[in-house]
Amino acid sequence: MELRSVEELVDLLHACRGAWDTPDRSGDPVDLHDHALQTAALLRRGHPADKELQVAGLVHDIGHLLRPGDDAGHADLAADAARPLLGERVSHLVRLHVPAKRYLATASPGRGLSAQSALTLTAQGGAMTPREAAAFERDPLAEDAVTLRQADDAGKVVGLDAGVMEDWRTVLELVAAQHSRQGAGYRPTARGW
């Protein structure tokens, strides 16, 4: 699936209400909708000027909705779906949120993960080897991907009010319009456009 309009993306994000990261609801304690809102809100608070990072936080787990049960491939699926509408930087950040978890498992082995994240870490390749970690660190978006990952891990609080999906429509429209204007000339950097 490739997202072609903000309306299509907002509909997909609304469909995340009542959808979980595991088909049997044994995973994280909030649904994909609340998780998306919490992750994006945390990124907005910490990085108010980086709209692409915020949007990456909003859409990073839509792969769980598109292909339930695919823990290993959900990031790639979400990245591929988001790229046509939201651009290469958002797509790349979404793709990197799983490698960032693997990187953090190596760089900060005592760092806590939710029970579900700890379980899926194995399916996603486990902690990185020193060579993989060094390669990850060379990616121009590695630091932002780690920031996204940290918000991803923190955005799983039952009952936390992080706003409503409609609050994000304007931001999504801005990022989509920016991507449309810039087109193919974009190359990912640590600060985006």
Side-chain angles (χ1 to χ4, degrees), residues 64-120:
H64 285 301
L65 184 68
L66 297 173
R67 190 175 301 140
D70 187 0
D71 291 323
H74 82 280
D76 291 337
L77 187 60
D80 291 344
R83 183 184 308 108
L85 180 64
L86 301 173
E88 189 60 39
R89 181 167 181 254
V90 171
S91 174
H92 195 60
L93 286 168
V94 169
R95 190 174 311 282
L96 286 177
H97 87 272
V98 170
K101 176 169 79 170
R102 296 184 60 226
Y103 172 78
L104 286 169
T106 297
S108 303
R111 184 177 162 275
L113 290 172
S114 71
Q116 182 63 18
S117 274
L119 182 66
T120 59

Side-chain angles (χ1 to χ4, degrees), residues 164-188:
V164 297
M165 202 56 74
E166 281 304 312
D167 293 344
W168 288 94
R169 184 181 293 273
T170 301
V171 177
L172 290 168
E173 289 169 349
L174 287 170
V175 171
Q178 185 177 36
H179 166 63
S180 179
R181 281 193 308 274
Q182 298 297 325
Y186 173 77
R187 297 293 176 258

Side-chain angles (χ1 to χ4, degrees), residues 3-17:
L3 296 165
R4 297 292 179 183
S5 71
V6 169
E7 192 62 39
E8 186 178 22
L9 175 54
V10 170
D11 288 347
L12 182 65
L13 289 166
H14 280 297
C16 288
R17 182 170 293 291

